[in-house]
Amino acid sequence: MPDSYRRIVLASRPRGAVTPDNFRLETVATPVLQDGELLVRNHYLSLDPYMRGRMSAARSYAASQALDQTMIGGTVGEVVASRHAGFAVGDAVVGVLGWTELAVTDGAQLRKVDADKLPLSAYLGAVGMPGMAAWYGLNRIIKPRAGETIVVSAASGAVGSVVGQLARLQGCRVVGIAGGPAKCRYVIDELGFDACIDYKGGKLEADLAAATSDGVNGIFENVGGVMLDAALARTSAFGRVALCGLIGGFGGADMALHNARLLLINRLTVQGFIVTEHMELWDQGLTELAELVASGQVKYRETVTQGIAAAPEAFIGLLQGFNFGKQLVKLI
Ligand code: NDP
């Protein structure tokens, strides 16, 4: 058992773009376990767009990350010491233990996972919170019917990639939106989307119109702004919009919707959601996703950064769209 470990704390709140000095790497002593506690060695840390919101003091759906405390974050790892009846040394566990190599916990929010069925990292992506966001938004909000057309933004990412594959499995025509030819090729060739629009090509509206000549029945929105606007312009009557994320506005971009009148004209249903408010569905959703990933029907891609010290740069890269698939930090 190491006597110390490293963690990253929030050193200051960003003023504008996130910078490396918003974070601080610390070495701390490994605490002695008390009864009812266990020690987890994290193998992977998940970096997710929602962390940007937590770094700010602005009002949101969740409390801000406290200064000088371990940055919030999903983790997967193994139990290395236990004085808890429910967990044994060697158990693989998913939790929200933060940007830290080791963590002492009472196990309250830990979930045991099967390390033989899937690679541990999958439990932070397609079979974790992002996969559940895809599952919930698609199945509970868009509720697609076979033959319908679904548009997905940030299509190569952790959430978008799963949305499109699930919709294809349900017999839908799926059109992705992603940044750059490599991501679009992957979305079509590997993930099996019917089409993918490279919004960096400069013809988003025209390209999306050409790819959705029969209209759009469902929008799974991960970005907002011009992407949502372009998709709204293509909607058919009684379309459904699952509003999952607005990463396009994180850098201060204009998020105005010029096609909002189509909400009325097409009698659209728009629903935002926060996947962690639907925990009662996670067992069902994650079981389905685990089967689909294990059988190869849902594929995923990862960008893996090595070592906790590199987490801030990787996170800043995620906020600039540098990741290609689920962004992870490998800790051991
Ligand atoms: P991704 O793995 O998709 O990574 C983010 C991607 O967003 C980037 O790679 C980039 O891809 C794309 N992007 C588009 N515009 C921008 C921009 N202006 N700045 C930065 N990136 C941009 O992330 P996730 O799949 O984890 O998350 C997708 C969305 O879902 C996010 O908005 C997130 O906040 C949201 N989310 C919401 C949840 C909920 O409960 N509501 C749960 C989980 C995620 P490209 O190069 O293609 O543009």
Side-chain angles (χ1 to χ4, degrees), residues 48-50 129-130 133 154-160 177-179 183 199-200 222-223 227 243-248 250 273-276 318-323 325-326:
D48 297 271
Y50 75 84
M129 186 277 286
S156 72
V159 176
I177 303 175
K183 285 185 176 179
Y199 69 88
K200 292 183 176 169
N222 285 317
V223 178
M227 300 204 205
L243 193 45
C244 177
L246 294 171
I247 194 170
F250 285 15
F273 70 96
I274 299 298
V275 70
T276 46
L318 170 74
L319 296 177
Q320 294 170 5
F322 293 165
N323 64 307
K326 174 68 204 152

Side-chain angles (χ1 to χ4, degrees), residues 6 12 16 49 52 128-129 147 166 174 222-223 241 280-281 283 290:
R6 293 179 301 167
S12 60
R52 175 64 186 87
M129 186 277 286
L166 292 181
V174 182
N222 285 317
V223 178
V241 181
E280 74 286 358
L281 294 169
D283 273 350

Side-chain angles (χ1 to χ4, degrees), residues 137-138 140-152 163 167 170-175 194 208 211-221 228 230-243 262-263 266-271:
L138 184 73
R140 297 300 166 117
I141 297 176
I142 294 178
K143 300 184 186 132
R145 291 182 283 270
E148 289 191 327
T149 297
I150 310 295
V151 169
V152 187
V163 173
Q170 295 182 41
C172 296
R173 176 178 156 73
V174 182
V175 178
D194 297 280
L208 191 61
T212 58
S213 49
D214 290 337
V216 168
N217 308 101
I219 301 172
F220 193 106
E221 191 50 56
L228 177 53
L232 282 175
R234 302 300 308 153
T235 46
S236 302
F238 303 107
R240 290 86 63 200
V241 181
L243 193 45
L262 291 172
L263 300 176
N266 285 334
R267 290 85 82 208
L268 304 182
T269 302
V270 181
Q271 191 177 329

